Every structure is written in C-alpha cells, then in structure tokens.
Amino acid sequence: MKAVIQRVLKSSVTIEGETVASIDNGLLILLGIVDEDSQADIKWLSNKIANLRIFSDDNGVMNKSIIDVNGNAIVVSQFTLYATTKKGNRPSYIKAAKPDIAIPLYETFVKQLETDLSKKVQTGQFGADMKVELINDGPVTIIIDTKNKE
C-alpha cells in the first residue's frame, strides 16, 4: 500500500461537476493498493498517517498530528501510484490491484482511518474520473509505502 499525503489548507473532489468531498485544514491522501496488501498494512498505514507530526505548533515547528489540530481528511484511490515506467513511455499499471481486491481494502482503510481519527473521513469514488483540487500547505507532501517500513 502506498500513500501520498499532502497537508492542505483546503481540498475537494468533484465528479461530473458535483463536489463529493471538501475539507479545510487537513490531509489529502492519495492511496494506491497492490494484491499483496493486507489488514496489517491498513492498520500500520492508518496509524502512521493519524500520528504523523506534519502540522505546525505555536513555534512554527512541524510537531503536531492531524489529531492534535482536529484536521480533516480526504482519501482518494489512485492506482497510478503503482505505475511502472521502465520500458517505453507508456506507463504500465499491472502492479496495481484489480477492483475486486482493491475496493474492499480501500473501504477498510477508510474505516480504519475514521477509527484512528475519531471522525468521518471523506472520500472520492473508487474508479471514477475525479477532479481533485488542493491548496498544498507548505508545501508538505510525504510518500509512505508499507513495503518500506524499516
């Protein structure tokens, strides 16, 4: 499981002209899933994101988590995070999990993050053509891969 975490002042997801998710002050999380991902990956990644200290304290030091600042989150599925670009110029997405595996893992991740944050997490729509807007705060962008925990 791979996540691109962006600290945002605001973010939204629009599908066919309708805004389906919108937050102020929080995290936009782009989530990629592979066949080998498990419940252990979900729990580890959700806990890591919930406790990641990337929000500024009163001294301007990144020392607070999304929980500490009562921030919000949007999770967007993004199979392109597992693009392979070694051959030619057309990316291959063969490593990304197919929907029958990815959708349940994606939904479980969202539920786990809601538990870890003690609040509702907004989402895009799996497999939809989404327009994602954000104002990246900092900019702060962190990439986490559960296969590289150590």
Side-chain angles (χ1 to χ4, degrees):
M1 197 164 278
K2 190 179 292 187
V4 175
I5 300 128
Q6 297 180 75
R7 186 179 76 184
V8 297
L9 292 176
K10 58 174 44 178
S11 182
S12 65
V13 179
T14 304
I15 301 171
E16 295 180 3
E18 180 183 343
T19 300
V20 297
S22 180
I23 63 167
D24 292 322
N25 188 44
L27 299 175
L28 170 63
I29 303 159
L30 306 175
L31 185 69
I33 298 168
V34 292
D35 290 344
E36 300 79 32
D37 288 329
S38 67
Q39 296 298 322
D41 291 307
I42 289 168
K43 288 187 84 120
W44 182 86
L45 183 60
S46 177
N47 181 66
K48 179 64 81 174
I49 291 171
N51 292 290
L52 200 60
R53 296 181 346 189
I54 58 173
F55 291 87
S56 297
D57 63 17
D58 293 339
N59 297 318
V61 177
M62 285 195 280
N63 204 24
K64 290 189 173 189
S65 71
I66 187 172
I67 296 169
D68 296 330
V69 299
N70 196 29
N72 295 298
I74 296 178
V75 179
V76 174
S77 62
Q78 189 164 356
F79 71 93
T80 60
L81 292 179
Y82 280 103
T84 301
T85 58
K86 288 184 180 181
K87 289 185 177 179
N89 294 318
R90 183 175 177 184
S92 169
Y93 305 107
I94 198 164
K95 289 184 179 180
K98 302 289 184 261
D100 61 321
I101 292 172
I103 291 172
L105 290 171
Y106 170 77
E107 291 172 348
T108 302
F109 174 81
V110 170
K111 286 181 180 149
Q112 181 64 53
L113 189 60
E114 287 177 335
T115 298
D116 289 343
L117 297 180
S118 299
K119 65 170 32 180
K120 179 83 173 128
V121 170
Q122 296 189 49
T123 66
Q125 180 182 333
F126 193 95
D129 180 15
M130 297 174 272
K131 307 305 178 212
V132 180
E133 291 187 73
L134 71 140
I135 298 176
N136 192 319
D137 183 19
V140 174
T141 302
I142 309 288
I143 300 170
I144 300 175
D145 188 334
T146 61
K147 305 306 183 251
N148 296 322
K149 292 178 190 168
E150 298 173 14

